[in-house]
Amino acid sequence: MATALPTADAEVIEREFSADVVNELEQICSRYPERRAALLPALRLAEREFGKVDLGGMQLVAKHLGLSPAYVLGTVTFYTHFRRETDGTFVIELCRTLPCALRGADDFAKHVEQKLGIQPGETTEDGLFTYKRAECMAACDKAPLVQINGYNHELMTPEVFDQIVDTLRDDPEAFDLKGGRKTPLAWHEPADRSATRTLPEGEKDYEYECLTHEPLLLRRCLKGRYTTYDEYVKDGGYKGVKQALNMSPADVIDFVKKSRLRGRGGAGFGCGMKWGFVPSVDQKPGPRYLVVNADESEPGTFKDGKLMEGDPHLLFEGIVIASHAIGANDAYIYIRGEMTYGAEVLNAALEEAYKNNVFGPNALGFGKRLDCTVHRGAGAYICGEETALLSSLEGGRGYPRLKPPYPAIEGAWRQPTIVNNVETICNLPLMFDKGLDWYNSLGTPAQSAEEAPPRGRMGSAGPKIWCVSGHVVRPGLYDVPFGITIRQLLHDERFCGGIRDGRKVKGVVPGGSSFQVLTADELDVPLCYDAVADAGSSIGSAGIIVMDETTCMVNALLNVLRFYDHESCGQCTPCREGSGWMTRIVWRIAHGLGTMEDLDTIDQIANQACGRTICVLAEAFSWPAQSYIKKFRHEFEALIKESRPSPGVCAPMLGGK
């Protein structure tokens, strides 16, 4: 094993952990089957103890985990979220992805630069402030948004930002790092019991059902703090899991199949069907793992963070049910590194859960060990892809893996592993408590193979959370079932309240920034998996981004492409090179330097990238590019013909990639 970091002319400060920290590290290591898997947590310890992750800290971590320093350095450089040696006392990160740009983040960025007197990536001369441009931080309804040392400060204004900076300069001890979150959520009124049916009795009336629907998944998330174990139990929590634990694992899987629960993370795959792929112990001996995908980093999506911060025991109850079904004794919650507060909430609630025997050697009294670990990422969008997440969980770079084998067959540590999204897992306690008939009564029905050849359709069952950001009067989270139309959700006064400043809709992305855009004429589509797919897009992770008539679609696309260019892991040439080429071409068009041939070139790059990479990040930048150009080609052609820079929302993005 190497004994020195592979650096040139760099001073390495010798670091050592105290005995207490070494014990803490050993306890962390004991929660993983391999010591290497504790790499990111160990680096967090170094960051906490030394204020940064420097070369000496990396070398120390390498020694304790039995890794080469070169391996640790190579892993650290993949991630963006660790504090570096050059960082100031306060690291200020500003999100400028599309949802934030639509709410004024670009103009706000100019003010930040002026106030601090530095550009992104720089540190003030006194070493107090470092200013960084961040990627989406899963609070798109609270834009403009900055993070200060990892904590959100939402709905920022220049005046509030100036007050924060002045306080940090004059009296940093008086500043509350955790005091910048805005609550309650935008939509917090009870269901509208005065709503009337628009269809005759006996017919499925989705509008009426959604208007009279009491929030289910979010109902405990409106207090501005998390729901404790005692509060959760008093409110009926941990009832569904008792029903599930009285069933055999096979019966639980069959129950979930019949519920028609589809994954809420983006793909919409049948949850019970995925569980059914886990082989028997006879077929594949050894442990099974449950991994909760809490790496919510798709621009426009911010539901999972609210669930974890407001109702962590709902997630824990779902974890017990899923672990029982697949035979797992170890569950891991992989939460993105930017969710500092969310990780703190989960760990605090986890202590309660262990004290009350939810987890432990005899979890919930059914004679089985079940442990749960919160594992923080470190800033990499690609780790939201399930196999990249597993690579990161095991202590490596977040590189996606070829499939097959699929994780259910060979996942974490080469053992059968189920990866489910936070909202997916949070559905489980509700369905087992209230029953299949109730669960299937919500949403859209399944269709037989005869009605929808060749394979039929599962429909869209159960409750759902919709994330709405951009140019609506009330951006936020909306806990209503499938079936309401996009137009109804956006324009009804009881929901989003229409488009801001009385303007008209220009485009809507229904499933997060990686999906195809819909025009103002395509908004009568019901919000469900099948109908939105028929309209040429996807509900994806339910991140609805709304753009009004002032939006320049060229700049909006440039913003989206820059994000995916930045977030490509670089493993596959079509994605690594294609995302960059496409971004530069659209940048050129936005500057008035494009040609008509550029539009065909973008389409060719997309066609050559899609389906030719390990994961679907190629599709994530190709689908928006093709749809924006197809739906709003006249805007691209006008800029090319007039040879002038693009105006409108996101215009400050033109300064560069």
Side-chain angles (χ1 to χ4, degrees):
M1 185 177 73
T3 57
L5 289 162
T7 58
D9 302 323
E11 179 184 3
V12 179
I13 301 173
E14 295 293 331
R15 302 288 191 186
E16 287 295 336
F17 287 139
S18 68
D20 288 342
V21 175
V22 171
N23 288 335
E24 184 178 355
L25 177 57
E26 290 304 313
Q27 290 176 6
I28 291 171
C29 290
S30 70
R31 304 189 73 85
Y32 299 90
E34 295 178 355
R35 290 182 69 84
R36 186 186 74 163
L39 178 54
L40 294 188
L43 290 166
R44 292 287 181 191
L45 285 181
E47 182 180 54
R48 186 191 73 191
E49 293 299 302
F50 312 128
K52 56 193 171 185
V53 176
D54 60 6
L55 297 175
M58 293 183 215
Q59 187 161 294
L60 176 63
V61 167
K63 180 181 72 173
H64 279 281
L65 297 184
L67 301 170
S68 74
Y71 179 88
V72 175
L73 178 64
T75 303
V76 168
T77 55
F78 181 82
Y79 300 97
T80 63
H81 206 249
F82 293 114
R83 290 181 65 91
R84 312 297 184 180
E85 293 181 80
T86 54
D87 287 348
T89 304
F90 298 102
V91 177
I92 296 175
E93 299 179 89
L94 171 63
C95 178
R96 290 176 67 184
T97 48
L98 183 59
C100 283
L102 294 170
R103 301 291 291 197
D106 290 322
D107 286 337
F108 181 71
K110 292 180 179 179
H111 179 82
V112 171
E113 293 164 8
Q114 183 179 25
K115 177 66 175 177
L116 297 177
I118 54 177
Q119 296 295 309
E122 296 179 349
T123 300
T124 54
E125 290 185 3
D126 59 6
L128 196 59
F129 300 107
T130 294
Y131 170 44
K132 296 181 180 180
R133 174 175 177 160
E135 303 308 325
C136 183
M137 293 187 282
C140 311
D141 58 331
K142 300 295 192 295
L145 170 74
V146 298
Q147 279 196 346
I148 303 176
N149 286 3
Y151 293 98
N152 284 10
H153 290 262
E154 302 166 346
L155 297 173
M156 291 296 295
T157 64
E159 295 75 21
V160 171
F161 182 78
D162 289 352
Q163 292 173 7
I164 290 174
V165 170
D166 292 342
T167 300
L168 291 175
R169 280 181 171 146
D170 298 337
D171 188 9
E173 297 297 324
F175 182 72
D176 180 10
L177 275 175
K178 302 181 183 181
R181 311 185 77 81
K182 304 296 183 183
T183 54
L185 305 177
W187 184 57
H188 61 280
E189 298 297 327
D192 182 5
R193 294 187 176 88
S194 66
T196 57
R197 293 183 63 89
T198 58
L199 296 174
E201 289 288 344
E203 292 187 36
K204 192 79 169 170
D205 191 336
Y206 296 108
E207 179 180 326
Y208 173 75
E209 289 182 5
C210 289
L211 287 172
T212 57
H213 176 77
E214 293 284 355
L216 292 166
L217 292 163
L218 290 175
R219 67 190 182 91
R220 301 186 190 93
C221 298
L222 306 176
K223 298 185 292 292
R225 61 172 178 81
Y226 82 85
T227 301
T228 66
Y229 173 85
D230 290 338
E231 290 172 327
Y232 184 71
V233 172
K234 185 177 180 180
D235 193 40
Y238 289 113
K239 287 173 60 180
V241 69
K242 293 177 182 177
Q243 300 295 324
L245 294 180
N246 284 324
M247 301 165 63
S248 71
D251 286 342
V252 171
I253 292 174
D254 187 59
F255 188 96
V256 175
K257 285 180 180 179
K258 291 177 179 176
S259 76
R260 297 185 293 121
L261 170 62
R262 297 171 69 162
R264 306 301 202 231
F269 193 79
C271 179
M273 187 179 299
K274 178 187 277 193
W275 292 2
F277 293 150
V278 175
S280 68
V281 176
D282 291 337
Q283 294 171 312
K284 180 85 172 182
R288 278 89 178 99
Y289 299 104
L290 175 71
V291 179
V292 179
N293 187 342
D295 193 72
E296 185 178 42
S297 48
E298 174 83 357
T301 312
F302 47 95
K303 57 189 174 62
D304 295 344
K306 294 296 190 295
L307 284 169
M308 291 184 288
E309 293 170 6
D311 202 0
H313 288 282
L314 178 66
L315 176 61
F316 296 161
E317 184 176 4
I319 286 172
V320 178
I321 294 171
S323 298
H324 172 57
I326 67 171
N329 294 99
D330 294 280
Y332 298 92
I333 303 172
Y334 187 104
I335 185 170
R336 63 180 302 201
E338 291 85 348
M339 292 181 176
T340 306
Y341 175 70
E344 290 177 352
V345 166
L346 286 177
N347 280 312
L350 202 55
E351 287 188 23
E352 293 182 322
Y354 269 96
K355 287 178 182 177
N356 288 279
N357 205 35
V358 175
F359 300 112
N362 185 24
L364 286 175
F366 72 104
K368 176 180 177 180
R369 178 185 70 82
L370 178 58
D371 286 302
C372 182
T373 300
V374 178
H375 185 101
R376 280 184 72 191
Y381 166 84
I382 195 63
C383 289
E385 194 277 335
E386 63 177 2
T387 62
L389 183 154
L390 296 179
S391 297
S392 181
L393 176 65
E394 293 175 352
R397 290 180 159 222
Y399 283 147
R401 304 171 180 175
L402 284 169
K403 295 182 285 190
Y406 291 91
I409 307 298
E410 185 177 301
W413 301 287
R414 304 195 72 175
Q415 288 299 123
T417 303
I418 288 296
V419 183
N420 281 140
N421 165 264
V422 169
E423 187 188 358
T424 310
I425 293 292
C426 287
N427 268 259
L428 300 174
L430 296 174
M431 73 168 66
F432 280 91
D433 180 25
K434 297 178 180 293
L436 277 179
D437 290 342
W438 170 84
Y439 194 85
N440 278 292
S441 72
L442 299 175
T444 63
Q447 293 176 289
S448 68
E450 290 74 22
E451 294 171 316
R455 294 183 301 167
R457 299 186 179 189
M458 289 179 62
S460 305
K464 185 74 188 80
I465 303 175
W466 307 97
C467 319
V468 186
S469 62
H471 291 145
V472 291
V473 173
R474 286 192 299 276
L477 294 172
Y478 294 86
D479 184 346
V480 295
F482 296 96
I484 191 172
T485 67
I486 299 175
R487 191 179 305 280
Q488 181 78 19
L489 181 64
L490 300 187
H491 288 282
D492 195 296
E493 287 295 328
R494 291 162 291 189
F495 293 123
C496 296
I499 307 305
R500 195 170 63 166
D501 299 327
R503 293 172 177 151
K504 297 178 181 179
V505 175
K506 189 175 193 177
V508 174
V509 181
S513 66
S514 61
F515 288 102
Q516 297 91 336
V517 66
L518 301 177
T519 67
D521 297 329
E522 299 175 300
L523 303 186
D524 292 313
V525 59
L527 279 167
C528 63
Y529 290 101
D530 301 326
V532 177
D534 289 342
S537 190
S538 171
I539 69 168
S541 53
I544 301 172
I545 305 172
V546 183
M547 294 171 274
D548 71 18
E549 57 193 333
T550 67
T551 307
C552 170
M553 302 307 289
V554 179
N555 281 320
L557 177 59
L558 177 58
N559 187 301
V560 171
L561 292 177
R562 190 218 58 81
F563 172 82
Y564 292 106
D565 180 24
H566 178 271
E567 294 298 334
S568 172
C569 77
Q571 239 192 139
C572 305
T573 302
C575 177
R576 181 185 66 246
E577 301 300 328
S579 60
W581 294 343
M582 200 178 284
T583 303
R584 288 189 290 273
I585 291 171
V586 176
W587 185 91
R588 193 166 66 230
I589 294 172
H591 272 80
L593 303 174
T595 67
M596 290 299 179
E597 289 76 16
D598 286 337
L599 301 180
D600 293 332
T601 301
I602 291 171
D603 194 52
Q604 291 170 8
I605 293 172
N607 290 333
Q608 291 170 10
C610 289
R612 291 175 171 84
T613 54
I614 293 175
C615 78
V616 294
L617 198 136
E619 283 79 359
F621 67 80
S622 297
W623 288 343
Q626 291 179 312
S627 72
Y628 279 58
I629 292 173
K630 177 182 179 181
K631 301 287 181 69
F632 301 98
R633 190 179 182 93
H634 60 282
E635 290 196 30
F636 289 82
E637 291 182 347
L639 280 177
I640 292 169
K641 292 174 182 177
E642 296 173 17
S643 299
R644 60 177 175 80
S646 177
V649 173
C650 314
M653 287 288 303
L654 295 178
K657 287 173 58 186

